[in-house]
Amino acid sequence: MVRVYLHEVTKIFGKNVVALDKVELEVRSGEFMVVMGPSGHGKTTLLRVVAGLEEPTDGEVWIGDTLVASPRKGIFIPPKDRNVGMVFQNWALYPHMKVFDNIAFPLRIKKLPKSEIEKKVREIAEVLGIAETLDRYPRQLSGGQQQRVAIARALVKEPQVLLMDEPFSNLDARIRVTARAFVKDIQKKLGITTILVTHDPADALTLADRIAVLRRGVIQQIGLPSEIYDKPVNVFVANFIGDINLFDGSIVGKGNEVYFDGGDVKVQLPQNINVQGNGSVILGIRPEDVVLSKEVISNNNDLIYVGKGTVEISEFAGGKFNVMVKLQSTEVKVVSSTSFGLGEPVHVYFNSRKIKIFDKQTEKLLY
Ligand code: ATP
């Protein structure tokens, strides 16, 4: 097992397309790192730089103790010598080859003896649960099976690092859940250092040991899934990793009486909140941290009263309800365990421990 380390890696395409901007990322040995970000923000480029399919413009790429790319030192180790397995977004299986030959391909390039190829292909197919498909063509497999073949092909040469580019995007929602569980399981079983890129927060939250969030080629935050979700460093990360209500307003008052004033949403902030008065801010609260009640709740110190609202939408979403409440002219998204009738008046509370305050100008987390 090896670590992968990108030190101030920059990749510029043409004259001015900055795909990666001084990326500093350490993936620990055996770690499952998920790199997430919107389309076109540099995720694929990051993987290709690690694989050696792209040369960085500046910076250093390390795989274990080997410096595999450094323009300043004139070092560039080609992909075939990097011991890295890659699963592409479209899986890139050879349609005219049977599954066996697809998986055997990297070993044939390495010119391994026939008997060894046979053994390794059968072994990895067994591990991935596709042993019975070896005689078929890719088109005769389900999406989930094709994905496993792509993973088997990436793993068969026993790489030190596994790179996966949006591996679930071709799978429908139901298979995706199983496929995710499968990938997580296999990664843990093999203990292989893995970087997976995705734009889907659900992939990141369920799979990652740690998540790195990319925006326009710049790493915004690296942390545990719970850190990224609960303590996002800025509005971009907060918005990207999950649903969140955001209200513009300002901080008023001082001492024990500090309020967020956002017009319809005016709440007293917890005493330990340490933000300056009179600044323009954004208050963020995730839908599951908003509590609705038909009655006034008086015995819960964690809840901050926001006001009376009216239920506008209440949708069943399998074990929970997605509710939209209107506070005068402001809409608040809520995830609730109980259902509410349309037009029903409700009291709206925020979980004080989950309130996030961002600076309006820099959009950075203040509290
Ligand atoms: P997606 O999720 O859509 O694949 P991404 O986050 O993986 O997007 P990249 O493919 O890494 O993004 O692209 C980052 C930026 O670099 C984009 O602006 C893209 O247009 C540009 N880019 C990528 N490859 C090249 C190339 N070979 N030549 C020129 N520009 C490129």
Side-chain angles (χ1 to χ4, degrees):
M1 278 195 282
V2 296
R3 74 162 188 164
V4 176
Y5 177 41
L6 287 82
H7 175 57
E8 297 200 344
V9 168
T10 293
K11 175 69 194 180
I12 302 173
F13 289 108
K15 282 206 169 68
N16 53 12
V17 179
V18 184
L20 298 174
D21 192 356
K22 292 206 171 74
V23 165
E24 189 72 22
L25 179 69
E26 185 186 7
V27 185
R28 297 170 191 149
S29 176
E31 186 173 35
F32 199 147
M33 174 69 76
V34 176
V35 176
M36 64 175 312
S39 180
H41 282 229
K43 305 184 297 296
T44 299
T45 304
L46 187 148
L47 285 192
R48 291 174 59 84
V49 161
V50 175
L53 299 169
E54 214 73 75
E55 206 171 340
T57 311
D58 198 7
E60 295 184 346
V61 181
W62 292 81
I63 296 178
D65 295 330
T66 311
L67 181 58
V68 294
S70 168
R72 287 185 195 207
K73 293 181 182 156
I75 293 174
F76 183 76
I77 296 183
K80 65 176 176 44
D81 299 325
R82 288 200 188 187
N83 208 1
V84 160
M86 185 146 172
V87 178
F88 296 91
Q89 189 162 0
N90 56 7
W91 307 326
L93 299 177
Y94 304 107
H96 58 284
M97 286 186 196
K98 289 186 171 171
V99 168
F100 183 96
D101 300 309
N102 263 283
I103 301 174
F105 194 77
L107 302 180
R108 290 197 173 126
I109 287 185
K110 279 176 112 181
K111 301 208 165 31
L112 257 57
K114 216 174 156 193
S115 59
E116 202 174 326
I117 292 178
E118 177 91 20
K119 184 168 166 276
K120 282 184 187 285
V121 171
R122 295 208 179 274
E123 261 172 24
I124 195 74
E126 200 66 53
V127 173
L128 293 185
I130 46 170
E132 76 285 6
T133 70
L134 289 173
D135 249 355
R136 293 193 221 156
Y137 288 96
R139 64 171 184 277
Q140 297 169 313
L141 305 182
S142 71
Q145 287 170 326
Q146 289 184 41
Q147 186 199 37
R148 289 183 190 201
V149 175
I151 298 173
R153 190 180 53 187
L155 289 175
V156 76
K157 359 165 241 188
E158 293 162 29
Q160 292 179 300
V161 178
L162 177 63
L163 306 175
M164 305 180 93
D165 191 355
E166 302 265 7
F168 311 113
S169 59
N170 289 345
L171 298 174
D172 71 42
R174 208 167 36 86
I175 300 176
R176 218 168 226 258
V177 175
T178 330
R180 261 193 217 121
F182 175 79
V183 165
K184 174 124 186 145
D185 189 51
I186 210 84
Q187 194 272 344
K188 282 284 157 273
K189 222 182 253 168
L190 302 176
I192 184 168
T193 309
T194 301
I195 310 177
L196 179 148
V197 309
T198 180
H199 65 274
D200 185 346
D203 288 347
L205 291 168
T206 51
L207 288 170
D209 291 325
R210 287 189 304 154
I211 297 173
V213 184
L214 258 187
R215 180 194 200 184
R216 294 199 204 108
V218 179
I219 298 254
Q220 306 288 301
Q221 186 172 7
I222 302 172
L224 300 172
S226 58
E227 283 168 354
I228 303 275
Y229 193 78
D230 286 332
K231 289 269 173 243
V233 292
N234 57 29
V235 171
F236 174 83
V237 175
N239 233 335
F240 199 68
I241 196 75
D243 214 351
I244 188 160
N245 293 289
L246 297 167
F247 308 107
D248 279 349
S250 51
I251 299 288
V252 291
K254 56 178 185 237
N256 286 344
E257 302 251 314
V258 178
Y259 289 84
F260 166 81
D261 186 356
D264 295 344
V265 177
K266 184 170 182 187
V267 290
Q268 184 169 4
L269 297 174
Q271 284 177 13
N272 58 350
I273 220 164
N274 185 19
V275 282
Q276 298 289 318
N278 301 323
S280 290
V281 295
I282 299 167
L283 182 147
I285 186 96
R286 297 209 183 272
E288 65 272 23
D289 299 325
V290 181
V291 174
L292 302 180
S293 171
K294 291 170 195 172
E295 317 290 337
V296 170
I297 304 173
S298 54
N299 57 353
N300 190 333
N301 291 337
D302 281 340
L303 295 183
I304 294 182
Y305 190 62
V306 186
K308 269 193 199 160
T310 312
V311 173
E312 288 216 314
I313 300 171
S314 181
E315 288 173 347
F316 182 59
K320 60 181 186 173
F321 295 85
N322 293 327
V323 182
M324 180 75 85
V325 171
K326 202 154 193 180
L327 284 162
Q328 284 134 54
S329 62
T330 303
E331 288 180 329
V332 183
K333 287 175 275 186
V334 186
V335 171
S336 166
S337 54
T338 50
S339 81
F340 291 90
L342 295 188
E344 192 166 0
V346 284
H347 297 284
V348 181
Y349 297 84
F350 291 166
N351 181 340
S352 66
R353 289 189 294 173
K354 300 289 185 167
I355 285 177
K356 301 168 215 324
I357 304 284
F358 302 96
D359 184 274
K360 170 86 178 136
Q361 215 157 21
T362 63
E363 300 202 339
K364 284 192 178 147
L365 186 74
L366 297 172
Y367 169 81

